[in-house]
Amino acid sequence: METKVWQVDPANPDPNAIREAAQVLKRGGLVAFPTETVYGLGALAYERAAVRRIFEAKGRPLDNPLIVHIARVDQLEEVARQVPEEAYRLMDKLWPGPLTLVLWKVERIPLEVTAGLPKVAVRMPAHKVALMLIEEAGAPIAAPSANRSGKPSPTSAEHVIGDLRGRVEGVLDAGETLYGVESTIVDVTVEPPTLLRPGALPLEVLEELLGREVQVPLFARGLGEAETAVAPGMRHRHYAPDAEMVVVEAEDYSDLSRLVPAVRAIAKQKAQEGARVCVLCTDETRSAYEDLREQGIASMSLGPRSDTFIIARNLFKSLRLVDEMGYCFVVAEGLEERGLGLAAMNRLRKAAGYKIVRA
Ligand code: TXA
Ligand code: MG
């Protein structure tokens, strides 16, 4: 299959490109499109056969449900029912934006979308291209991240094309995404509301708006036994580079004096064993690994610890870069689980296959 690529201006997308892409969707095809978080791989949510093709194209396990994307709050009733008052409050303040709500699904949403579950995940993305595509398609769009299953989510059209060329009909290319990490997912059908996946919307913002605590299960932090995680789609190995990886965590990140030596020790040992090693670090610690260069150990900074937006934004593209540059072992510094640090740590732990060392 030939994969068509439409280059579009994110601020002022060409309506003709959007129309063509929407036509592809209406004919049952798959189109990857940008959102403010990561690129999604879309099919019309009501088209079972098209939705099934998403799983095929990604190599995605069938028990991992998809997020349904809408363009207006009044479209919500085409997707979900019994929406709690509290959920409307969140939508009012945070949509369009990187918050996905898990709600009771309406009959019309096929079980292919929800992997057999009675609940559906819904969000309204804050990206002109995504919103115009949904409007033009005339129906909600089911879309997981547009990567091959298990790979880091795509933050640029190049990532999508690298993973899915020849497997999907088209890609709308609007350059790099803003957040570079997926949406925050909250189940609002349960008491108290429960975080299923930390993402681009900080938990702190959510709790502030709700005026109460959101439950954070261990699996949402990327901890606990992956096999027993209760949320669907959370059991699968995720976001992983081809390289083997370990995360080194500290008790308290205001003092990095034990973290750095622990990272250095693992990196050196692996390098001695012959591995091409890369340390995934932060601006604050980068210089502490400079001398390891002589031993063939590289270091890559995700950004300053003080700015978790930047750290989260760089995470997936750095994981892809590690593979491109041919490193086969990554030692990642842990991060404080505050702001977008919570999402970043969830992704790092999963990328490492839950291999965690405590400094
Ligand atoms: O930012 C995002 O969320 C991106 C963009 C494209 O919108 N989408 C995304 O989808 O990252 P992805 O690949 O993470 O897949 C959707 C995830 C599933 O793995 C699952 O964890 C959760 O959403 N999910 C979907 N439906 C669910 C449901 N009914 N109950 C619980 N979790 C659900
Ligand atoms: Mg994904």
Side-chain angles (χ1 to χ4, degrees):
M1 171 191 320
E2 182 87 39
T3 300
K4 166 126 196 185
V5 179
W6 298 275
Q7 308 276 349
V8 288
D9 178 349
N12 191 16
D14 175 8
N16 290 320
I18 303 286
R19 204 167 305 128
E20 269 185 47
Q23 285 301 331
V24 171
L25 289 174
K26 287 185 196 170
R27 286 197 300 263
L30 305 184
V31 174
F33 60 95
T35 77
E36 78 282 32
T37 57
V38 300
Y39 275 72
L41 178 61
L44 292 192
Y46 302 133
E47 300 295 327
R48 288 170 194 277
V51 170
R52 265 187 239 122
R53 283 195 50 219
I54 291 180
F55 289 86
E56 258 168 57
K58 283 187 53 116
R60 185 179 178 97
L62 290 168
D63 64 350
N64 192 357
L66 311 179
I67 295 173
V68 174
H69 298 68
I70 59 176
R72 286 168 278 109
V73 174
D74 61 31
Q75 232 176 354
L76 187 65
E77 57 197 47
E78 298 170 38
V79 178
R81 63 192 169 83
Q82 285 176 259
V83 179
E85 200 48 51
E86 216 173 24
Y88 279 111
R89 239 181 28 237
L90 294 177
M91 289 175 230
D92 201 44
K93 298 272 191 221
L94 300 171
W95 279 6
L99 172 69
T100 296
L101 297 174
V102 171
L103 296 160
W104 295 107
K105 81 173 195 74
V106 296
E107 193 75 32
R108 193 171 166 205
I109 292 290
L111 290 168
E112 278 83 352
V113 170
T114 63
L117 297 169
K119 298 181 191 178
V120 62
V122 194
R123 87 177 192 98
M124 188 193 299
H127 197 295
K128 265 196 178 167
V129 173
L131 293 172
M132 284 171 70
L133 184 67
I134 301 163
E135 284 290 3
E136 189 67 36
I141 294 179
S145 51
N147 50 286
R148 284 282 286 176
S149 186
K151 291 276 150 214
S153 294
T155 60
S156 72
E158 286 74 29
H159 296 160
V160 178
I161 293 163
D163 277 15
L164 299 176
R165 185 198 289 278
R167 311 181 70 90
V168 303
E169 278 79 5
V171 180
L172 282 159
D173 176 359
E176 269 196 56
T177 60
L178 174 63
Y179 290 102
V181 68
E182 305 93 334
S183 62
T184 299
I185 307 180
V186 189
D187 187 342
V188 287
T189 67
V190 292
E191 264 309 311
T194 301
L195 185 74
L196 299 184
R197 177 180 74 186
L201 181 85
L203 176 66
E204 293 87 340
V205 173
L206 209 57
E207 293 187 322
E208 170 78 43
L209 276 176
L210 287 172
R212 61 174 177 148
E213 265 186 36
V214 170
Q215 187 172 313
V216 182
L218 275 182
F219 69 79
R221 296 174 54 207
L223 287 172
E225 191 43 62
E227 297 308 315
T228 62
V230 293
M234 304 292 168
R235 291 178 292 280
H236 309 288
R237 189 167 181 232
H238 259 118
Y239 316 120
D242 295 332
E244 205 185 320
M245 186 166 156
V246 62
V247 187
V248 184
E249 300 193 17
E251 194 76 47
D252 171 5
Y253 289 96
S254 62
D255 174 13
L256 303 173
S257 65
R258 280 168 60 184
L259 184 72
V260 171
V263 170
R264 285 177 59 96
I266 296 170
K268 281 194 205 172
Q269 192 203 323
K270 284 291 163 184
Q272 268 159 24
E273 289 168 19
R276 285 200 64 202
V277 179
C278 181
V279 172
L280 216 48
C281 61
T282 47
D283 288 359
E284 288 81 352
T285 55
R286 177 93 198 254
S287 63
Y289 304 111
E290 286 291 306
D291 65 304
L292 295 180
R293 224 172 253 278
E294 293 161 21
Q295 296 169 55
I297 299 167
S299 54
M300 202 185 279
S301 174
L302 291 175
R305 285 178 180 272
S306 55
D307 193 338
T308 57
F309 171 83
I310 295 181
I311 299 240
R313 187 188 162 105
N314 285 329
L315 183 58
F316 285 142
K317 64 177 176 193
S318 303
L319 291 179
R320 283 182 181 258
L321 200 58
V322 160
D323 284 340
E324 276 164 38
M325 294 172 74
Y327 297 108
C328 59
F329 197 91
V330 178
V331 193
E333 288 182 355
L335 306 158
E336 194 179 349
E337 292 174 281
R338 261 215 326 230
L340 299 193
L342 185 63
M345 274 309 277
N346 162 297
R347 307 306 186 273
L348 279 176
R349 287 169 177 148
K350 289 183 166 194
Y354 308 96
K355 284 192 293 297
I356 296 164
V357 171
R358 302 203 183 268

